Amino acid sequence: MPTSPACPQCTLTNTYVDGANFVCADCGFEWPVEGATGEASGVVVRDSNGNVLAQGDTVVVIKDLKVKGSSIPLKQGTVIRNIRLVEDNAEHIEGNSDKIKGLVLKTMFLRKA
């Protein structure tokens, strides 16, 4: 029996096998058991609206954020261009804003531009 991976939709680990599909008990998302093991990276990165993010995309910050190590906050509406995906972590991306370089941001505070 395959082990239940985290849900690609909501990234929570409360999943179970139902026939030929994995099912997330929290959000109700279903995906095939075969596709879960056959993917190369295994990580689907999604923004706050559920849109899939890819390497090089442009995102917009949806909430004012305090930045550790900087006195400059990241304001709502700030554009982050040419993002980089963090390997094996669907909750974080890397990128640079115009004023702050080397940011690691949670995808829950971003939307695809």
Side-chain angles (χ1 to χ4, degrees):
M1 182 168 158
T3 60
S4 297
C7 175
Q9 182 87 18
C10 66
T11 67
L12 297 175
T13 58
N14 189 12
T15 60
Y16 60 91
V17 178
D18 184 24
N21 290 333
F22 286 115
V23 179
C24 178
D26 295 313
C27 70
F29 185 71
E30 296 184 18
W31 69 101
V33 172
E34 302 155 355
T37 57
E39 295 178 6
S41 66
V43 176
V44 177
V45 180
R46 296 182 184 270
D47 68 358
S48 62
N49 295 331
N51 299 321
V52 177
L53 297 175
Q55 195 91 0
D57 280 349
T58 300
V59 295
V60 178
V61 178
I62 61 170
K63 176 183 173 184
D64 289 353
L65 300 173
K66 294 180 182 177
V67 179
K68 288 184 180 178
S70 174
S71 61
I72 303 170
L74 204 56
K75 295 286 187 177
Q76 178 180 353
T78 302
V79 176
I80 309 293
R81 291 181 174 80
N82 198 16
I83 65 168
R84 295 174 304 281
L85 304 180
V86 176
E87 195 167 323
D88 296 331
N89 191 342
E91 295 183 10
H92 294 99
I93 60 109
E94 296 175 350
N96 298 322
S97 72
D98 293 336
K99 297 179 181 179
I100 305 171
K101 307 298 181 207
L103 292 168
V104 177
L105 299 167
K106 287 192 169 252
T107 56
M108 64 191 311
F109 300 118
L110 305 172
R111 69 172 168 81
K112 193 171 186 176

